[in-house]
Amino acid sequence: MMRSFACLFLCLGASPVCAAPSLAGTWFGQGQPDGKESMYLDHFLPDGLMHSQFRDCVKGKALDSSEDGIWSVTGDILTIRVARHNGIAMPRTDMYRLTSVTARAFKDVYLPLNFPYDERRVDDNFTMPGCQLVS
């Protein structure tokens, strides 16, 4: 019972991001600091595991890659700890400031570059479009 009151107290003064729906689910977005035609598909699992797929389009040809790791949210900071890139151990930590979170979309800013991302929730079976649609 005391825990419920503490949670209620914290959420009353919380920002909209803190009180927002969970990021667990599948999210699609477009654009990276090095290319607006790039796409990504983030799978944030409820247990904190994550799998991301990336597609860069070069002259209409897809260059795909992937990352696996863990994700967490503390306050308005989304932390992604990448363990593997394309199956090879390449650990790093990426931090983002969440600026808006709803059940259907979220926006965040990659802190080192101040680069904004805008993702929308998609079905777990969603696949990224082909490069001919974005080139």
Side-chain angles (χ1 to χ4, degrees):
M1 183 83 157
M2 185 57 106
R3 178 180 254 169
S4 296
F5 285 124
C7 183
L8 177 63
F9 176 74
L10 289 172
C11 286
L12 286 176
S15 70
V17 169
C18 179
S22 171
L23 293 184
T26 303
W27 303 88
F28 174 73
Q30 290 182 268
Q32 295 285 345
D34 57 355
K36 66 179 183 177
E37 68 285 342
S38 297
M39 298 173 265
Y40 51 94
L41 190 59
D42 292 327
H43 303 275
F44 294 136
L45 303 178
D47 63 2
L49 294 177
M50 73 92 188
H51 176 73
S52 295
Q53 298 166 268
F54 304 94
R55 175 165 288 162
D56 291 317
C57 297
V58 179
K59 297 181 181 177
K61 188 170 189 148
L63 300 173
D64 292 343
S65 62
S66 65
E67 292 180 337
D68 295 289
I70 59 173
W71 68 279
S72 63
V73 175
T74 302
D76 65 348
I77 301 298
L78 166 63
T79 301
I80 296 178
R81 288 183 175 84
V82 175
R84 301 181 87 62
H85 179 83
N86 291 334
I88 299 168
M90 291 188 173
R92 72 167 196 278
T93 299
D94 295 331
M95 298 182 76
Y96 305 81
R97 180 171 314 284
L98 295 165
T99 59
S100 172
V101 180
T102 69
R104 301 176 97 176
F106 78 89
K107 295 180 181 192
D108 59 353
V109 175
Y110 179 56
L111 294 176
L113 298 177
N114 199 34
F115 185 84
Y117 287 94
D118 189 352
E119 302 191 37
R120 65 181 169 90
R121 189 180 296 273
V122 293
D123 184 77
D124 290 340
N125 296 320
F126 178 87
T127 58
M128 285 189 278
C131 285
Q132 55 278 26
L133 298 176
V134 295
S135 295

